[in-house]
Coordinates of all heavy atoms in Angstrom, one line a residue:
M53 N -2.2 17.6 -1.7 CA -3.5 17.1 -1.2 C -3.5 16.7 0.2 O -2.4 16.2 0.6 CB -4.0 15.9 -2.1 CG -5.5 15.9 -2.3 SD -5.9 14.4 -3.2 CE -6.5 13.4 -1.9
M54 N -4.5 16.9 0.9 CA -4.6 16.6 2.4 C -4.9 15.1 2.4 O -5.9 14.6 2.0 CB -5.7 17.4 3.1 CG -5.4 18.8 3.1 SD -4.1 19.3 4.2 CE -5.0 19.4 5.8
S55 N -3.9 14.4 3.1 CA -4.1 13.0 3.2 C -5.1 12.6 4.3 O -5.3 13.4 5.2 CB -2.8 12.2 3.4 OG -2.4 12.5 4.7
F56 N -5.6 11.4 4.2 CA -6.6 10.9 5.2 C -5.9 11.0 6.6 O -6.6 11.5 7.6 CB -7.0 9.5 5.0 CG -7.8 8.9 6.0 CD1 -9.2 9.2 6.0 CD2 -7.4 8.1 6.9 CE1 -10.1 8.7 6.9 CE2 -8.2 7.5 7.9 CZ -9.6 7.8 7.9
E57 N -4.7 10.6 6.8 CA -4.0 10.6 8.1 C -3.8 12.0 8.6 O -3.9 12.2 9.8 CB -2.6 9.9 8.0 CG -2.7 8.4 7.8 CD -3.0 8.0 6.4 OE1 -2.9 8.8 5.4 OE2 -3.4 6.8 6.2
R58 N -3.4 13.0 7.7 CA -3.1 14.3 8.2 C -4.4 15.0 8.8 O -4.4 15.5 9.8 CB -2.6 15.1 7.0 CG -1.1 15.1 7.0 CD -0.6 16.1 5.9 NE -0.8 17.5 6.3 CZ -0.6 18.5 5.4 NH1 -0.2 18.2 4.2 NH2 -0.8 19.7 5.8
V59 N -5.5 14.9 8.0 CA -6.8 15.5 8.5 C -7.2 14.8 9.8 O -7.7 15.4 10.7 CB -7.9 15.3 7.4 CG1 -9.2 15.9 7.9 CG2 -7.4 16.1 6.1
R60 N -7.1 13.5 9.8 CA -7.5 12.7 11.0 C -6.7 13.2 12.2 O -7.3 13.3 13.3 CB -7.1 11.2 10.7 CG -7.6 10.2 11.7 CD -9.0 9.9 11.5 NE -9.6 9.6 12.8 CZ -9.6 8.4 13.4 NH1 -9.2 7.4 12.7 NH2 -10.0 8.2 14.6
K61 N -5.4 13.5 12.1 CA -4.6 14.0 13.2 C -5.1 15.4 13.7 O -5.1 15.6 14.8 CB -3.2 14.0 12.8 CG -2.2 13.8 13.9 CD -0.8 13.6 13.4 CE 0.2 13.9 14.5 NZ 0.1 13.1 15.8
Q62 N -5.5 16.2 12.7 CA -5.9 17.6 13.1 C -7.2 17.6 13.9 O -7.3 18.4 14.7 CB -6.1 18.4 11.8 CG -4.9 18.8 11.1 CD -5.2 19.6 9.9 OE1 -6.3 19.7 9.4 NE2 -4.1 20.3 9.4
I63 N -8.0 16.6 13.6 CA -9.3 16.6 14.3 C -9.4 15.5 15.4 O -10.5 15.3 15.9 CB -10.5 16.5 13.3 CG1 -10.4 15.1 12.5 CG2 -10.6 17.7 12.4 CD1 -11.6 14.8 11.7
E64 N -8.3 15.0 15.8 CA -8.4 13.8 16.7 C -8.9 14.1 18.1 O -9.4 13.2 18.7 CB -7.0 13.1 16.8 CG -5.9 13.8 17.5 CD -4.5 13.2 17.4 OE1 -4.5 12.1 16.9 OE2 -3.6 13.8 17.7
N65 N -8.8 15.4 18.5 CA -9.4 15.7 19.8 C -10.8 16.3 19.7 O -11.3 16.8 20.6 CB -8.5 16.6 20.6 CG -8.1 17.8 19.8 OD1 -8.5 18.0 18.7 ND2 -7.2 18.6 20.4
K66 N -11.4 16.1 18.5 CA -12.8 16.4 18.4 C -13.6 15.2 18.0 O -13.8 14.9 16.8 CB -13.0 17.5 17.3 CG -12.3 18.8 17.6 CD -12.2 19.7 16.4 CE -11.5 21.0 16.7 NZ -11.1 21.6 15.4
P67 N -14.0 14.4 19.0 CA -14.6 13.1 18.7 C -15.8 13.1 17.8 O -15.9 12.1 17.0 CB -15.0 12.6 20.1 CG -14.9 13.7 21.0 CD -14.0 14.7 20.4
E68 N -16.6 14.1 17.9 CA -17.8 14.1 16.9 C -17.4 14.2 15.5 O -17.9 13.5 14.6 CB -18.7 15.3 17.3 CG -20.1 15.0 16.8 CD -21.1 15.9 17.5 OE1 -21.2 15.9 18.8 OE2 -21.8 16.7 16.9
R69 N -16.4 15.1 15.2 CA -15.9 15.3 13.9 C -15.2 14.0 13.4 O -15.3 13.6 12.2 CB -14.9 16.5 13.8 CG -15.7 17.8 13.9 CD -15.0 18.8 13.1 NE -14.7 18.4 11.7 CZ -13.9 19.1 10.9 NH1 -13.2 20.1 11.4 NH2 -13.6 18.7 9.7
V70 N -14.4 13.3 14.3 CA -13.7 12.1 14.0 C -14.7 11.1 13.5 O -14.5 10.4 12.5 CB -12.8 11.6 15.2 CG1 -12.3 10.2 14.9 CG2 -11.7 12.6 15.4
S71 N -15.8 10.9 14.3 CA -16.7 9.8 13.9 C -17.4 10.1 12.6 O -17.5 9.2 11.7 CB -17.8 9.7 15.0 OG -18.7 10.7 15.0
R72 N -17.7 11.4 12.3 CA -18.2 11.8 11.0 C -17.2 11.5 9.9 O -17.5 11.0 8.8 CB -18.7 13.2 11.0 CG -20.0 13.5 11.6 CD -20.4 14.9 11.5 NE -20.6 15.4 10.1 CZ -21.7 15.2 9.4 NH1 -22.7 14.5 10.0 NH2 -21.9 15.6 8.2
Y73 N -16.0 12.0 10.2 CA -14.9 11.9 9.2 C -14.7 10.4 8.8 O -14.5 10.1 7.6 CB -13.6 12.5 9.8 CG -12.5 12.6 8.7 CD1 -12.7 13.6 7.7 CD2 -11.4 11.8 8.8 CE1 -11.7 13.7 6.7 CE2 -10.4 12.0 7.8 CZ -10.6 12.9 6.8 OH -9.6 13.0 5.8
D74 N -14.6 9.5 9.8 CA -14.4 8.1 9.6 C -15.6 7.5 8.7 O -15.4 6.8 7.8 CB -14.3 7.3 10.9 CG -12.9 7.4 11.5 OD1 -12.1 8.0 10.8 OD2 -12.7 7.0 12.6
R75 N -16.8 7.9 9.1 CA -17.9 7.4 8.4 C -17.9 7.6 6.9 O -18.2 6.8 6.1 CB -19.2 8.0 9.1 CG -20.5 7.4 8.5 CD -21.6 7.2 9.6 NE -21.7 8.4 10.4 CZ -22.7 9.3 10.3 NH1 -23.6 9.1 9.3 NH2 -22.8 10.3 11.0
F76 N -17.5 8.9 6.6 CA -17.6 9.2 5.1 C -16.3 9.1 4.4 O -16.3 9.1 3.2 CB -18.1 10.7 5.0 CG -19.5 10.8 5.6 CD1 -19.8 11.5 6.6 CD2 -20.6 10.1 4.9 CE1 -21.1 11.7 7.1 CE2 -21.9 10.2 5.3 CZ -22.1 11.0 6.5
N77 N -15.1 9.1 5.1 CA -13.9 9.2 4.3 C -12.9 8.0 4.5 O -11.9 8.0 3.9 CB -13.1 10.5 4.8 CG -13.9 11.7 4.4 OD1 -14.1 12.0 3.2 ND2 -14.4 12.4 5.4
K78 N -13.3 7.1 5.3 CA -12.4 5.9 5.5 C -12.3 5.1 4.2 O -13.4 5.0 3.4 CB -13.0 5.0 6.6 CG -11.9 4.3 7.4 CD -12.4 3.7 8.6 CE -11.3 3.6 9.6 NZ -11.7 3.5 11.0
S79 N -11.1 4.6 3.9 CA -11.0 3.8 2.7 C -11.6 2.4 2.9 O -11.6 1.9 4.0 CB -9.5 3.6 2.3 OG -8.8 3.2 3.4
K80 N -12.2 1.8 1.8 CA -12.9 0.6 1.9 C -11.9 -0.6 2.3 O -10.8 -0.6 1.8 CB -13.6 0.2 0.6 CG -15.0 0.7 0.5 CD -15.6 0.3 -0.8 CE -16.9 1.0 -1.1 NZ -17.3 0.8 -2.5
D81 N -12.4 -1.5 3.1 CA -11.6 -2.8 3.2 C -12.0 -3.7 2.1 O -13.1 -4.1 1.9 CB -12.0 -3.5 4.5 CG -11.5 -2.7 5.7 OD1 -10.4 -2.2 5.6 OD2 -12.2 -2.7 6.8
R82 N -10.9 -4.0 1.2 CA -11.2 -4.7 0.0 C -10.6 -6.2 0.2 O -9.6 -6.4 0.8 CB -10.5 -4.1 -1.2 CG -11.1 -2.8 -1.5 CD -10.5 -2.2 -2.8 NE -10.7 -0.8 -2.9 CZ -11.9 -0.2 -3.3 NH1 -12.9 -0.9 -3.7 NH2 -12.0 1.1 -3.3
K83 N -11.4 -7.1 -0.4 CA -11.0 -8.5 -0.3 C -10.2 -8.9 -1.6 O -9.6 -9.9 -1.6 CB -12.2 -9.4 -0.1 CG -12.9 -9.2 1.3 CD -14.1 -10.1 1.4 CE -14.9 -9.8 2.7 NZ -15.6 -8.4 2.6
F84 N -10.4 -8.2 -2.6 CA -9.7 -8.4 -3.8 C -9.3 -7.1 -4.6 O -9.7 -6.1 -4.1 CB -10.5 -9.4 -4.8 CG -11.9 -9.0 -4.9 CD1 -12.3 -8.0 -5.8 CD2 -12.9 -9.6 -4.1 CE1 -13.6 -7.7 -5.9 CE2 -14.2 -9.3 -4.2 CZ -14.6 -8.3 -5.1
G85 N -8.6 -7.2 -5.6 CA -8.1 -6.1 -6.3 C -6.6 -5.8 -5.9 O -6.1 -6.4 -5.0
K86 N -6.0 -4.9 -6.6 CA -4.5 -4.8 -6.5 C -4.1 -4.3 -5.1 O -3.0 -4.5 -4.7 CB -3.9 -3.8 -7.6 CG -4.5 -2.4 -7.6 CD -3.7 -1.7 -8.7 CE -4.2 -0.2 -8.7 NZ -3.5 0.5 -9.8
I87 N -5.0 -3.6 -4.4 CA -4.8 -3.0 -3.1 C -4.5 -4.1 -2.1 O -3.8 -3.9 -1.1 CB -5.9 -2.1 -2.7 CG1 -5.3 -0.7 -2.2 CG2 -6.8 -2.7 -1.6 CD1 -5.0 0.2 -3.4
T88 N -5.0 -5.3 -2.4 CA -4.8 -6.4 -1.4 C -3.4 -7.1 -1.6 O -3.1 -8.0 -0.8 CB -5.9 -7.5 -1.6 OG1 -5.9 -7.9 -3.0 CG2 -7.2 -6.9 -1.2
H89 N -2.6 -6.7 -2.5 CA -1.3 -7.3 -2.7 C -0.2 -6.2 -2.8 O 0.4 -6.0 -3.9 CB -1.2 -8.2 -4.0 CG -2.2 -9.3 -4.0 ND1 -3.5 -9.1 -4.6 CD2 -2.3 -10.4 -3.3 CE1 -4.2 -10.2 -4.4 NE2 -3.5 -11.0 -3.6
P90 N 0.1 -5.6 -1.7 CA 1.2 -4.5 -1.7 C 2.6 -5.2 -1.8 O 2.7 -6.4 -1.4 CB 1.0 -3.8 -0.5 CG 0.3 -4.7 0.5 CD -0.5 -5.7 -0.4
C91 N 3.6 -4.4 -2.2 CA 4.9 -4.9 -2.2 C 5.3 -5.3 -0.8 O 5.1 -4.5 0.2 CB 5.9 -3.8 -2.7 SG 7.6 -4.2 -2.5
R92 N 6.0 -6.4 -0.6 CA 6.4 -6.9 0.8 C 7.5 -6.1 1.4 O 7.8 -6.2 2.5 CB 6.6 -8.4 0.8 CG 7.9 -8.7 0.0 CD 8.3 -10.2 0.3 NE 7.9 -11.1 -0.7 CZ 8.3 -12.4 -0.7 NH1 8.9 -12.9 0.4 NH2 7.9 -13.2 -1.6
K93 N 8.2 -5.4 0.5 CA 9.4 -4.6 1.0 C 9.0 -3.2 1.3 O 9.3 -2.7 2.4 CB 10.5 -4.6 0.0 CG 11.9 -4.2 0.5 CD 12.9 -4.2 -0.5 CE 14.2 -3.6 0.0 NZ 15.1 -3.3 -1.2
C94 N 8.5 -2.5 0.3 CA 8.2 -1.0 0.5 C 6.7 -0.7 0.7 O 6.3 0.4 1.0 CB 8.8 -0.2 -0.6 SG 7.9 -0.5 -2.2
G95 N 5.8 -1.7 0.4 CA 4.4 -1.5 0.6 C 3.7 -0.8 -0.6 O 2.5 -0.4 -0.5
K96 N 4.4 -0.6 -1.7 CA 3.9 0.1 -2.8 C 2.8 -0.8 -3.4 O 2.8 -2.0 -3.4 CB 4.9 0.3 -3.9 CG 4.9 1.7 -4.6 CD 6.1 1.9 -5.4 CE 7.2 2.5 -4.6 NZ 8.4 2.7 -5.4
K97 N 1.7 -0.2 -4.0 CA 0.6 -1.0 -4.6 C 0.7 -1.0 -6.1 O -0.1 -1.7 -6.7 CB -0.7 -0.4 -4.1 CG -1.0 -0.7 -2.7 CD -1.6 0.5 -2.0 CE -1.4 0.3 -0.5 NZ -1.4 1.6 0.2
A98 N 1.6 -0.2 -6.7 CA 1.6 -0.2 -8.2 C 2.8 -1.0 -8.7 O 3.9 -1.0 -8.1 CB 1.8 1.3 -8.7
G99 N 2.6 -1.7 -9.8 CA 3.7 -2.5 -10.4 C 4.2 -3.6 -9.6 O 5.4 -3.9 -9.6
V100 N 3.3 -4.3 -8.8 CA 3.7 -5.4 -8.0 C 3.8 -6.7 -8.8 O 2.8 -7.0 -9.5 CB 2.7 -5.6 -6.8 CG1 3.1 -6.8 -6.0 CG2 2.8 -4.3 -5.9
I101 N 4.8 -7.4 -8.7 CA 5.0 -8.7 -9.4 C 4.5 -9.8 -8.5 O 5.1 -10.1 -7.5 CB 6.5 -8.9 -9.8 CG1 7.0 -7.8 -10.7 CG2 6.6 -10.3 -10.5 CD1 8.4 -7.7 -10.9
R102 N 3.5 -10.5 -8.9 CA 2.9 -11.6 -8.1 C 3.3 -13.0 -8.6 O 3.2 -14.0 -7.9 CB 1.4 -11.5 -8.1 CG 0.8 -10.3 -7.4 CD -0.7 -10.2 -7.5 NE -1.3 -11.4 -6.9 CZ -2.6 -11.7 -7.1 NH1 -3.4 -10.9 -7.8 NH2 -3.2 -12.8 -6.6
K103 N 3.9 -13.0 -9.8 CA 4.3 -14.2 -10.4 C 5.3 -14.9 -9.5 O 6.2 -14.3 -8.9 CB 5.0 -14.0 -11.7 CG 4.9 -15.1 -12.7 CD 5.5 -14.7 -14.1 CE 5.2 -15.8 -15.1 NZ 5.6 -15.4 -16.4
Y104 N 5.3 -16.3 -9.4 CA 6.1 -17.1 -8.5 C 6.0 -16.7 -7.0 O 6.9 -17.0 -6.2 CB 7.6 -17.1 -8.9 CG 7.8 -17.2 -10.4 CD1 8.5 -16.2 -11.1 CD2 7.3 -18.2 -11.2 CE1 8.7 -16.3 -12.5 CE2 7.5 -18.3 -12.5 CZ 8.2 -17.3 -13.2 OH 8.4 -17.4 -14.5
G105 N 4.9 -16.0 -6.7 CA 4.7 -15.6 -5.3 C 5.8 -14.6 -4.8 O 6.2 -14.5 -3.7
L106 N 6.3 -13.7 -5.8 CA 7.3 -12.8 -5.5 C 6.8 -11.7 -4.5 O 7.5 -11.4 -3.5 CB 7.9 -12.1 -6.7 CG 8.9 -13.0 -7.5 CD1 9.1 -12.4 -8.9 CD2 10.2 -13.1 -6.8
M107 N 5.7 -11.1 -5.0 CA 5.1 -10.0 -4.2 C 6.1 -8.8 -3.9 O 6.1 -8.2 -2.8 CB 4.6 -10.5 -2.8 CG 3.5 -11.5 -3.0 SD 2.2 -11.0 -4.0 CE 0.9 -12.1 -3.4
Y108 N 7.0 -8.6 -4.9 CA 7.8 -7.3 -4.9 C 7.3 -6.4 -5.9 O 6.8 -6.8 -7.0 CB 9.2 -7.7 -5.2 CG 10.0 -8.3 -4.0 CD1 10.5 -9.6 -4.2 CD2 10.2 -7.6 -2.9 CE1 11.2 -10.2 -3.1 CE2 11.0 -8.2 -1.8 CZ 11.4 -9.5 -2.0 OH 12.1 -10.0 -0.9
C109 N 7.4 -5.1 -5.7 CA 7.1 -4.1 -6.8 C 8.3 -4.2 -7.7 O 9.3 -4.6 -7.3 CB 6.8 -2.7 -6.2 SG 8.3 -1.9 -5.6
R110 N 8.1 -3.6 -8.9 CA 9.1 -3.7 -9.9 C 10.4 -3.1 -9.5 O 11.5 -3.5 -9.9 CB 8.7 -3.2 -11.3 CG 8.3 -1.7 -11.2 CD 7.5 -1.4 -12.5 NE 7.1 0.1 -12.5 CZ 7.9 1.1 -12.8 NH1 9.1 0.8 -13.2 NH2 7.5 2.3 -12.8
Q111 N 10.4 -2.0 -8.7 CA 11.6 -1.3 -8.2 C 12.3 -2.2 -7.2 O 13.5 -2.4 -7.3 CB 11.2 0.0 -7.5 CG 10.7 1.1 -8.5 CD 9.3 1.1 -8.7 OE1 8.5 0.1 -8.3 NE2 8.7 2.1 -9.4
C112 N 11.6 -2.8 -6.3 CA 12.3 -3.6 -5.3 C 12.8 -4.9 -5.9 O 13.8 -5.5 -5.5 CB 11.3 -4.0 -4.1 SG 10.9 -2.5 -3.1
F113 N 12.0 -5.4 -6.9 CA 12.4 -6.7 -7.6 C 13.8 -6.5 -8.2 O 14.6 -7.4 -8.1 CB 11.4 -7.0 -8.7 CG 11.8 -8.2 -9.4 CD1 11.8 -9.5 -8.8 CD2 12.2 -8.2 -10.8 CE1 12.2 -10.6 -9.5 CE2 12.6 -9.3 -11.5 CZ 12.6 -10.5 -10.8
R114 N 14.1 -5.3 -8.8 CA 15.4 -5.1 -9.3 C 16.5 -5.2 -8.3 O 17.6 -5.7 -8.6 CB 15.5 -3.7 -9.9 CG 15.0 -3.6 -11.4 CD 15.0 -2.1 -11.8 NE 16.4 -1.5 -11.8 CZ 17.2 -1.5 -12.9 NH1 16.7 -1.9 -14.1 NH2 18.4 -1.0 -12.8
E115 N 16.2 -4.8 -7.1 CA 17.2 -4.8 -6.0 C 17.3 -6.2 -5.4 O 18.4 -6.7 -5.0 CB 16.8 -3.9 -4.9 CG 16.9 -2.4 -5.3 CD 16.1 -1.5 -4.4 OE1 15.8 -1.9 -3.2 OE2 15.9 -0.3 -4.8
E116 N 16.2 -6.9 -5.4 CA 16.2 -8.2 -4.7 C 16.4 -9.4 -5.6 O 16.6 -10.5 -5.1 CB 14.9 -8.4 -3.9 CG 14.6 -7.3 -2.9 CD 15.6 -7.3 -1.7 OE1 15.8 -8.4 -1.2 OE2 16.1 -6.3 -1.4
A117 N 16.2 -9.2 -6.9 CA 16.2 -10.3 -7.9 C 17.3 -11.3 -7.7 O 17.1 -12.5 -7.6 CB 16.2 -9.8 -9.3
E118 N 18.6 -10.8 -7.6 CA 19.7 -11.7 -7.5 C 19.7 -12.5 -6.2 O 20.1 -13.6 -6.1 CB 21.0 -11.0 -7.7 CG 21.5 -11.1 -9.1 CD 22.8 -10.4 -9.4 OE1 23.8 -10.5 -8.6 OE2 22.8 -9.6 -10.4
R119 N 19.3 -11.8 -5.1 CA 19.4 -12.4 -3.8 C 18.4 -13.5 -3.7 O 18.7 -14.5 -3.0 CB 19.1 -11.3 -2.7 CG 19.5 -11.7 -1.3 CD 19.1 -10.6 -0.3 NE 17.7 -10.2 -0.4 CZ 16.7 -10.9 0.2 NH1 17.0 -12.1 0.8 NH2 15.5 -10.5 0.1
V120 N 17.2 -13.4 -4.4 CA 16.3 -14.5 -4.3 C 16.5 -15.5 -5.4 O 15.6 -16.4 -5.5 CB 14.8 -14.0 -4.3 CG1 14.5 -13.1 -3.1 CG2 14.5 -13.2 -5.6
G121 N 17.5 -15.4 -6.1 CA 17.9 -16.5 -7.0 C 17.7 -16.3 -8.5 O 17.8 -17.2 -9.3
F122 N 17.4 -15.1 -9.0 CA 17.3 -14.8 -10.4 C 18.6 -14.4 -11.0 O 19.4 -13.6 -10.3 CB 16.3 -13.6 -10.6 CG 14.8 -14.0 -10.5 CD1 14.3 -14.0 -9.2 CD2 14.1 -14.4 -11.5 CE1 12.9 -14.4 -9.1 CE2 12.8 -14.7 -11.5 CZ 12.2 -14.7 -10.2
R123 N 19.0 -14.9 -12.1 CA 20.2 -14.6 -12.7 C 20.0 -14.1 -14.2 O 19.0 -14.6 -14.8 CB 21.1 -15.9 -12.8 CG 21.7 -16.2 -11.4 CD 22.9 -17.1 -11.5 NE 23.2 -17.6 -10.2 CZ 22.7 -18.6 -9.5 NH1 21.8 -19.3 -10.1 NH2 23.0 -19.0 -8.3
K124 N 20.9 -13.3 -14.6 CA 20.8 -12.8 -16.0 C 21.5 -13.8 -16.9 O 22.6 -14.2 -16.6 CB 21.4 -11.5 -16.2 CG 20.6 -10.4 -15.5 CD 21.3 -9.0 -15.6 CE 20.6 -7.9 -14.9 NZ 21.4 -6.8 -14.7
Y125 N 20.9 -14.2 -18.0 CA 21.5 -15.0 -19.1 C 21.6 -14.2 -20.4 O 20.8 -13.4 -20.6 CB 20.8 -16.3 -19.2 CG 21.0 -17.3 -18.1 CD1 20.0 -17.5 -17.1 CD2 22.3 -17.9 -17.9 CE1 20.2 -18.3 -16.0 CE2 22.5 -18.8 -16.9 CZ 21.4 -19.0 -15.9 OH 21.7 -19.8 -14.9
S126 N 22.5 -14.6 -21.2 CA 22.8 -14.1 -22.5 C 23.1 -12.6 -22.6 O 23.2 -12.0 -21.5 CB 21.7 -14.3 -23.5 OG 20.7 -13.3 -23.4
Ligands
ZN1090 ZN1 8.7 -2.4 -3.3

């Protein structure tokens, strides 16, 4: 699929098309919803753990868990 950035780059020297493209295809600025809490390490928006203010996605949490003080018991 053609991403927003790729198409934007192709038409960047055609100002009229850029303004139309932005008007109809720009992603919304959201004040709430999962998109407002991306992973602080990789920026992923899916599977983000917000509990205890972690803000890591589940993949990064596995890597960072011990460093931020989580330990395995039993
Ligand atoms: Zn992540």
Side-chain angles (χ1 to χ4, degrees):
M53 216 184 101
M54 295 289 273
S55 72
F56 177 78
E57 288 79 17
R58 268 185 70 189
V59 177
R60 188 77 213 272
K61 207 170 160 60
Q62 286 183 346
I63 58 167
E64 67 189 350
N65 50 6
K66 297 168 184 165
E68 201 161 304
R69 287 212 50 196
V70 169
S71 74
R72 279 182 67 81
Y73 191 69
D74 280 353
R75 185 141 49 98
F76 295 113
N77 296 295
K78 212 167 206 159
S79 51
K80 270 183 189 165
D81 288 328
R82 291 183 203 280
K83 292 179 188 72
F84 44 84
K86 61 177 181 180
I87 229 82
T88 54
H89 301 100
C91 168
R92 67 165 103 176
K93 193 181 172 197
C94 69
K96 221 173 275 181
K97 284 137 199 155
V100 176
I101 301 166
R102 291 174 61 191
K103 205 173 189 178
Y104 317 123
L106 281 167
M107 299 306 203
Y108 283 117
C109 73
R110 59 190 179 86
Q111 290 88 350
C112 293
F113 177 69
R114 272 176 64 96
E115 296 161 14
E116 301 292 314
E118 261 177 51
R119 199 178 56 76
V120 296
F122 283 84
R123 287 197 189 86
K124 289 177 187 168
Y125 287 104
S126 83

